[in-house]
Amino acid sequence: MTQETGNIITLKNVNKWYGEFHVLKDINLDVKMGEKIVICGPSGSGKSTMIRCINHLEEHQEGDIIVDGVILNNDLKNIGKIRKEVGMVFQHFNLFPHLTVLQNCTLAPIWVKKMPQKEAEKIAMKFLERVKIPDQANKFPGQLSGGQQQRVAIARSLCMNPRVMLFDEPTSALDPEMIKEVLDVMVELAGEGMTMLCVTHEMGFAKKVADRVIFMDAGQIIEENEPESFFNNPQSERTKLFLSQVLGH
Amino acid sequence: MNPNNRNGLSRLFYNPTARSLFFQALILGLLLYFVMTIVGNVMTNLHQRGISTGFGFLSQPAGFGISQTLIEYNETFSFGRTFFVGLLNTLLVSFLGVIAATFLGVIIGISRISPNWMLRKISMVYVEILRNIPLLLQIFFWYYVVLQTLPRPRDSLSFGESIFINIRGVFLPKPVPDAGFSFYVALLVASVVAVVALTIWAKRRMRDTGQQFPVFWTSIAILLGTAVIGFFITGRPMVLDYPELRGLNFRGGITILPELIALWFALTIYTSTYIGEIVRSGIESVSHGQTEACRALGINEGQRMKLVILPQAMRVMIPPMTSQYLNLTKNSSLATAIGYPDLVSVFAGTTLNQTGQAIEIISMTMMVYLTISILVSMFMNWFNRRVALVER
Amino acid sequence: MSEFIPKPARPAPATEIGVIGWARKNLFSSIPNAAITLLTVYVLWSVLVPFLSWAFVNADWVGSTRADCTSGGACWVFISVRFNLFMYGFYPEDSYWRPNLTFILLIGFLIWLSIPRIPFKKIGAILALTVYPVLAYVLLYGGFGLEVIPTHRWGGLMLTLVLALIGIVVAIPIGVILALGRRSEMPVVRMVCVIFIEFWRGVPLITILFMASVMLPLFFVGGTDADKLMRALIGIVMFQSAYMAEVVRGGLQALSKGQFEGADALGLSYWQKMFLVVLPQAMKIMIPGIVNTLISLFKDTSLIVIIGLLDILGMVGQALADPAWLGYPAEGYLFVAFTFWIFCFSMSRYSIYLENKLNTGHKR
């Protein structure tokens, strides 16, 4: 195992193309155990693509991605292993509308981890309580508000007991008053020491919890720094411009 | 165990590329084995039954007559010729059906959303009844029930002693070209050119000056005028060959077989119910907001249909319409049930019975319909690409 | 400041409500509109009155020979005399209870499965797809102590139903596999599925039936003269599964990409993803489409007349050729049309009902 380096995720010279289009250019990134990273950048900069490569929703063409000592290559077993270790929360929740909230949470533990149903339900209820919606367990996703749905999606990922959580713009599809309830859950999760990679435009969240902020544009990592210096003393012109647009109003 | 150092075989087993290659090879192998077995069986069976193979039969004389031929044909022509005679008859009835079904279907579709309650309900009943009855039954109904009530040739219904209708079909006078015919045709072509030129001119003028011009009515006047006046100027370049009752039946003129009429009516009516629904939902698919926006802009009802509603509705309507036309063409093969000499009836029917070469004949017949399907779906893809709404 | 007192509501003017208001709005809103109304009423009157008097008022209903048809209207005696033939074909009369029982069981299952309030749908579906087909086969064909009734004696409406139902039930799983194959990432699998689907969809059913009746026997060793009904069924199933595959494909396409990604991110395998997440949702969307293909299949089964099987249309055609009963094609064909119409119309209503339910079901 790669405990000696303390890195749970390593990206080495990762390159990816969509057809002719070069989306990710020589991405290098090390994520330490328990680290919280916020990734920001303009739309189309490749930030979502990058974190989607980490659980192989997208395939990269060059370079290595190593998650918890498992190298992500063309091996179904490794892909399955990594997906068990890595939870993901989507912009549009992607809850399964034909299953209840509880069933959404127990589906993967039962079928992927082969957990007995009782136990899976117990764990699911535990996490639903953590995201403060245990009373909605038997409703269907369509009956919940956007913020509640996103919290269910977080609980669903947590039920697999992941070592890393990926967040792909978790609050972009939500109304302003619902953003807070989701962010609160994420802050709490961060406080418990979960390793998190989070693509978001919520700069307040970044200042509050991030250990590192990464700024991407045109498929490259332009700048990475602690939030303090990232926001107060950006190094590159591109970052300055972006920050002035995001924070400037 | 470190998952990165597994032995080669298990590595291959979990490699998606290897898996998919293996699986595809397996499928191909099975398919090949299946086809080979069938081909082998067919060969032995044909050999045992003494049926020859190959397409040599196409050049042998057919030796049977066909009741409707659009190209020259008689018993001495080859089996290959029967293929083309049948194919043309299929295309004829499909073409007639497409035209009539579109016309009737559009009327039905518009009636379905008419402000008039009676019209709305009647067209709804029409659609609900006729599309839930099998087409074959409707063909039988027209052929065995309705057309059987027509009189015998001797008591034909006659219109001006030139058009006769009886149980043997409809008999029309046939125009035969006479002296000066080519000049008349040239005149007609010239009028079409004039109309095209007029359209372009009117469009340009409207773009440059904003003035509008009644292109549609002027064009009709030009076309009709040339056709009628030109006919007399060129010295009546056509004579009519009138049908005449000789013995038990009419001779001369154009004969429209009762089988063609029954098939055409049934195909038209059956398909028009589907086209009606397509037209209705196409127009309804354009949101109410579009109508309101037009009203707010002061666009009048006619312009609204022409400029805003129809262009959007067409986008929705054309793909299902073309697939209805395709269905109609395929359905025309039901001709064989009442003996209209279409491709299936002549070629996959009589010719097949005479030669026994089932494999070749059925394959050729299927290829014809497949080719039509592929052409239509190519058109549809092209169309969809062309009209796709520009969106992010 | 004076207190706000809302004005009492006044009744609408007569031109807006009531029969007069309705008629004004819907029938006589303008002069052309009024003309259309009068014209349609006139046409309807002149068509319906003679038809109704022929079909009902002046019709003969009871009797046993054509001599009983004296009143000049429709001769329904022609139908009633041969009713059993039209329903069962040449199935032996003392065994009519067998198709009857099969049909009653079918109705029972349909009620169980199609009415939302009845519970245990899953058990019902499993029974309907496993136990019922075996039971129906034994009941209709024979075996296990029941007399064997060869398929060439089957006919009439019973044959129509048998063909349509077997066709649809067998076509669904094949259609699902074809549709999944068409979306596969493996080019060979995709190609094979696309060619299969487009081939059967591209040719008319009648050529497929010809193929099944003249070419299929050549495909087997020794040219086995397989059962004629069996051969027709093979053709129908091929045809139907291609159409079913397109219905399934539509259902799969209606699912958002997020559902596939969500399942992937949780680490579900391909088959787990399909059977736990994708198909249960897609099936719901597909049911109206399946019912619609069932309707067209039901109508299309009438084509088997052309290869010499006698479904209800074929039985009536035979009866019309009977010298003792010449001259009643209108009665015969109207009867068949009415039978088909009842089935197709009720199915289409059910499918519309399902579609409406689906359209509202996703909302909160």
Side-chain angles (χ1 to χ4, degrees):
Chain A
M1 300 290 263
T2 40
Q3 238 67 350
E4 58 267 30
T5 58
N7 290 339
I8 188 154
I9 297 176
T10 308
L11 277 75
K12 258 188 241 157
N13 293 322
V14 172
N15 278 281
K16 172 169 178 59
W17 289 262
Y18 283 130
E20 291 284 299
F21 181 61
H22 199 168
V23 235
L24 295 181
K25 299 169 187 159
D26 295 323
I27 301 286
N28 283 297
L29 179 67
D30 290 310
V31 182
K32 288 193 198 61
M33 203 60 194
E35 201 175 13
K36 290 120 195 75
I37 295 179
V38 165
I39 303 155
C40 59
S43 68
S45 59
K47 48 195 195 309
S48 286
T49 309
M50 182 179 89
I51 71 163
R52 287 159 64 90
C53 280
I54 293 174
N55 67 351
H56 206 262
L57 283 183
E58 306 274 357
E59 200 174 343
H60 61 283
Q61 281 95 14
E62 281 179 11
D64 292 326
I65 298 178
I66 302 159
V67 181
D68 201 11
V70 180
I71 191 158
L72 243 193
N73 53 11
N74 226 346
D75 189 324
L76 293 177
K77 216 167 193 184
N78 286 356
I79 295 169
K81 209 168 213 154
I82 284 173
R83 285 180 179 167
K84 270 189 242 174
E85 304 276 323
V86 178
M88 181 154 196
V89 176
F90 298 87
Q91 182 179 0
H92 296 287
F93 333 134
N94 295 354
L95 293 175
F96 305 129
H98 64 306
L99 302 177
T100 62
V101 164
L102 189 64
Q103 286 170 331
N104 261 284
C105 292
T106 55
L107 183 80
I110 291 174
W111 290 92
V112 180
K113 284 196 155 175
K114 318 258 183 278
M115 200 183 272
Q117 188 177 347
K118 275 243 166 70
E119 198 185 331
E121 282 174 0
K122 225 172 78 191
I123 293 176
M125 282 315 291
K126 187 180 95 189
F127 284 112
L128 285 174
E129 264 160 45
R130 280 260 298 273
V131 299
K132 302 180 187 66
I133 36 174
D135 44 329
Q136 312 284 1
N138 291 314
K139 285 196 180 163
F140 285 93
Q143 298 168 302
L144 305 184
S145 75
Q148 289 171 324
Q149 290 193 44
Q150 193 59 295
R151 285 184 281 152
V152 172
I154 295 173
R156 178 175 80 175
S157 299
L158 290 175
C159 284
M160 290 293 281
N161 196 19
R163 308 189 63 175
V164 183
M165 285 285 281
L166 307 175
F167 292 86
D168 188 3
E169 307 205 21
T171 55
S172 311
L174 296 177
D175 293 338
E177 72 266 33
M178 293 170 183
I179 292 179
K180 188 175 173 299
E181 60 188 56
V182 172
L183 288 181
D184 284 349
V185 169
M186 289 169 62
V187 170
E188 200 176 304
L189 197 59
E192 286 161 16
M194 173 65 76
T195 313
M196 289 163 72
L197 267 82
C198 191
V199 173
T200 183
H201 294 126
E202 295 298 329
M203 293 305 156
F205 173 77
K207 282 177 191 162
K208 205 161 164 187
V209 298
D211 297 318
R212 237 190 312 164
V213 179
I214 290 177
F215 176 70
M216 285 182 73
D217 191 19
Q220 298 171 55
I221 294 182
I222 308 255
E223 188 166 343
E224 48 176 306
N225 218 330
E226 284 156 17
E228 188 86 359
S229 25
F230 179 83
F231 288 111
N232 300 333
N233 188 19
Q235 301 299 303
S236 89
E237 279 306 311
R238 185 69 191 87
T239 317
K240 270 181 206 158
L241 180 67
F242 177 76
L243 285 176
S244 72
Q245 280 164 347
V246 175
L247 303 172
H249 50 90
Chain B
M1 189 178 82
N2 187 334
N4 294 330
N5 311 325
R6 275 203 312 267
N7 61 47
L9 202 63
S10 116
R11 205 183 194 135
L12 217 56
F13 182 73
Y14 284 110
N15 184 322
T17 323
R19 265 191 185 193
S20 103
L21 275 179
F22 171 75
F23 191 64
Q24 297 185 60
L26 189 75
I27 294 245
L28 263 187
L30 282 176
L31 212 63
L32 212 65
Y33 172 76
F34 184 67
V35 171
M36 292 305 278
T37 322
I38 283 186
V39 170
N41 286 346
V42 167
M43 283 311 178
T44 31
N45 283 330
L46 287 179
H47 187 71
Q48 275 170 2
R49 297 179 187 195
I51 300 174
S52 54
T53 50
F55 290 93
F57 71 97
L58 287 175
S59 54
Q60 290 162 11
F64 62 89
I66 299 175
S67 58
Q68 175 189 300
T69 55
L70 297 181
I71 47 176
E72 200 191 351
Y73 175 84
N74 60 43
E75 285 83 0
T76 59
F77 279 88
S78 66
F79 283 125
R81 188 79 168 184
T82 64
F83 172 81
F84 290 104
V85 171
L87 177 59
L88 283 175
N89 286 341
T90 290
L91 293 179
L92 173 73
V93 72
S94 310
F95 176 75
L96 292 176
V98 163
I99 303 282
T102 310
F103 188 71
L104 193 56
V106 168
I107 292 176
I108 297 295
I110 291 175
S111 305
R112 289 274 272 141
I113 47 174
S114 147
N116 187 302
W117 184 86
M118 275 305 275
L119 204 55
R120 238 168 26 225
K121 289 295 154 188
I122 288 182
S123 49
M124 190 189 87
V125 170
Y126 173 93
V127 169
E128 290 296 349
I129 289 183
L130 290 165
R131 107 175 147 162
N132 286 317
I133 295 175
L135 174 61
L136 183 62
L137 183 54
Q138 297 194 29
I139 295 176
F140 281 166
F141 189 82
W142 283 103
Y143 190 62
Y144 291 118
V145 179
V146 180
L147 295 187
Q148 291 303 314
T149 61
L150 289 172
R152 298 168 173 286
R154 207 167 285 281
D155 320 311
S156 293
L157 304 172
S158 113
F159 297 91
E161 290 303 311
S162 50
I163 298 173
F164 301 92
I165 299 176
N166 61 45
I167 202 163
R168 300 276 175 86
V170 176
F171 299 85
L172 303 170
K174 179 179 177 183
V176 180
D178 203 4
F181 183 70
S182 50
F183 186 58
Y184 182 56
V185 170
L187 214 59
L188 288 184
V189 171
S191 74
V192 173
V193 172
V195 165
V196 172
L198 177 77
T199 315
I200 295 172
W201 170 81
K203 228 179 213 165
R204 283 218 183 123
R205 194 178 71 145
M206 188 176 155
R207 189 190 59 201
D208 296 339
T209 67
Q211 282 172 294
Q212 295 182 12
F213 188 83
V215 179
F216 182 74
W217 295 112
T218 324
S219 307
I220 293 215
I222 292 177
L223 292 177
L224 276 182
T226 332
V228 174
I229 301 169
F231 186 74
F232 292 103
I233 301 182
T234 52
R236 306 189 182 190
M238 276 186 287
V239 287
L240 292 176
D241 172 21
Y242 290 99
E244 264 177 273
L245 186 63
R246 277 195 218 129
L248 287 176
N249 206 353
F250 282 86
R251 300 262 179 266
I254 301 173
T255 311
I256 302 175
L257 295 177
E259 290 83 18
L260 174 61
I261 296 173
L263 186 63
W264 182 41
F265 278 18
L267 282 173
T268 300
I269 288 173
Y270 184 75
T271 313
S272 75
T273 62
Y274 288 92
I275 291 184
E277 288 302 279
I278 292 168
V279 170
R280 178 185 65 88
S281 62
I283 293 177
E284 281 179 349
S285 75
V286 182
S287 77
H288 190 60
Q290 299 283 312
T291 307
E292 288 180 342
C294 287
R295 290 204 178 124
L297 287 169
I299 294 171
N300 72 31
E301 304 286 304
Q303 286 171 327
R304 184 177 86 216
M305 263 293 158
K306 186 179 124 197
L307 299 173
V308 178
I309 309 288
L310 277 186
Q312 296 183 58
M314 278 303 204
R315 204 192 301 277
V316 187
M317 275 155 50
I318 293 215
M321 284 277 231
T322 25
S323 79
Q324 283 308 322
Y325 294 159
L326 193 57
N327 280 347
L328 188 148
T329 310
K330 285 193 282 174
N331 284 337
S332 73
S333 60
L334 294 186
T336 180
I338 53 168
Y340 171 75
D342 82 320
L343 179 68
V344 172
S345 169
V346 168
F347 193 64
T350 320
T351 304
L352 174 57
N353 285 336
Q354 304 257 324
T355 60
Q357 293 195 272
I359 306 260
E360 292 85 349
I361 287 176
I362 300 267
S363 317
M364 277 175 77
T365 312
M366 285 182 154
M367 278 322 272
V368 168
Y369 288 101
L370 272 183
T371 314
I372 298 175
S373 297
I374 289 169
L375 288 178
V376 167
S377 61
M378 272 164 63
F379 163 78
M380 224 125 72
N381 288 341
W382 170 83
F383 178 83
N384 284 338
R385 250 195 324 251
R386 221 184 102 95
V387 303
L389 269 186
V390 183
E391 272 173 5
R392 289 190 60 195
Chain C
M1 231 164 58
S2 67
E3 197 190 338
F4 170 68
I5 303 166
K7 283 182 187 168
R10 280 187 302 129
T15 51
E16 283 296 309
I17 52 166
V19 180
I20 302 171
W22 180 87
R24 261 182 88 116
K25 237 188 240 162
N26 290 294
L27 298 177
F28 303 102
S29 62
S30 64
I31 293 173
N33 222 331
I36 290 174
T37 307
L38 296 177
L39 191 74
T40 46
V41 169
Y42 171 74
V43 171
L44 211 59
W45 186 260
S46 53
V47 171
L48 269 187
V49 169
F51 175 77
L52 291 178
S53 77
W54 173 82
F56 297 102
V57 181
N58 291 326
D60 290 294
W61 299 86
V62 281
S64 50
T65 60
R66 66 181 296 161
D68 295 316
C69 289
T70 48
S71 43
C75 179
W76 298 119
V77 178
F78 172 68
I79 306 296
S80 57
V81 165
R82 294 167 177 267
F83 187 77
N84 281 341
L85 273 181
F86 295 164
M87 292 296 115
Y88 305 99
F90 301 110
Y91 210 81
E93 213 158 317
D94 54 358
S95 300
Y96 280 172
W97 64 272
R98 285 159 58 173
N100 287 348
L101 182 60
T102 316
F103 188 65
I104 290 168
L105 283 175
L106 174 74
I107 298 284
F109 272 114
L110 283 182
I111 291 175
W112 188 356
L113 292 177
S114 59
I115 296 182
R117 256 177 303 159
I118 304 176
F120 308 118
K121 288 257 173 326
K122 242 182 211 164
I123 303 174
I126 291 169
L127 285 180
L129 290 175
T130 53
V131 178
Y132 180 71
V134 179
L135 203 65
Y137 176 81
V138 173
L139 273 174
L140 292 178
Y141 185 73
F144 293 101
L146 284 172
E147 186 199 346
V148 169
I149 293 159
T151 57
H152 65 81
R153 303 192 63 174
W154 301 16
L157 183 63
M158 168 197 151
L159 184 63
T160 308
L161 286 170
V162 165
L163 281 173
L165 288 176
I166 299 186
I168 207 88
V169 168
V170 180
I172 289 175
I174 304 182
V176 168
I177 291 173
L178 286 172
L180 291 180
R182 193 171 186 160
R183 291 178 63 111
S184 160
E185 282 164 10
M186 296 179 243
V188 171
V189 175
R190 205 168 49 225
M191 274 303 279
V192 170
C193 290
V194 167
I195 291 175
F196 186 92
I197 294 171
E198 294 305 327
F199 175 79
W200 296 110
R201 272 163 48 89
V203 296
L205 180 56
I206 190 79
T207 58
I208 297 174
L209 290 175
F210 273 167
M211 181 179 168
S213 70
V214 298
M215 266 167 81
L216 206 58
L218 297 174
F219 287 176
F220 299 104
V221 186
T224 17
D225 215 21
D227 190 294
K228 203 176 188 180
L229 182 66
M230 196 60 196
R231 278 184 276 157
L233 252 180
I234 292 177
I236 287 178
V237 163
M238 294 288 124
F239 181 73
Q240 204 53 30
S241 35
Y243 280 87
M244 198 52 74
E246 288 302 283
V247 172
V248 178
R249 184 163 80 128
L252 294 179
Q253 271 173 349
L255 280 193
S256 75
K257 224 178 122 206
Q259 292 296 312
F260 293 83
E261 286 180 353
D264 278 340
L266 287 174
L268 297 181
S269 75
Y270 178 81
W271 294 108
Q272 286 174 338
K273 176 172 72 179
M274 285 303 165
F275 281 97
L276 294 173
V277 175
V278 176
L279 285 176
Q281 295 184 59
M283 270 295 174
K284 228 179 197 171
I285 309 172
M286 276 149 40
I287 290 177
I290 293 178
V291 177
N292 287 338
T293 39
L294 178 59
I295 296 174
S296 29
L297 176 60
F298 194 77
K299 288 187 286 178
D300 284 342
T301 50
S302 57
L303 266 61
I304 55 166
V305 172
I306 296 173
I307 59 165
L309 285 166
L310 296 172
D311 73 334
I312 180 168
L313 183 56
M315 290 308 300
V316 170
Q318 265 209 342
L320 289 171
D322 180 351
W325 284 96
L326 283 181
Y328 296 113
E331 287 86 344
Y333 290 128
L334 277 179
F335 169 71
V336 184
F338 183 69
T339 314
F340 270 105
W341 186 81
I342 291 278
F343 278 94
C344 296
F345 183 72
S346 41
M347 283 192 280
S348 79
R349 287 290 113 175
Y350 180 66
S351 128
I352 290 171
Y353 155 79
L354 280 180
E355 259 168 64
N356 290 339
K357 211 175 94 178
L358 266 184
N359 287 342
T360 50
H362 282 308
K363 287 176 193 151
R364 313 219 246 156

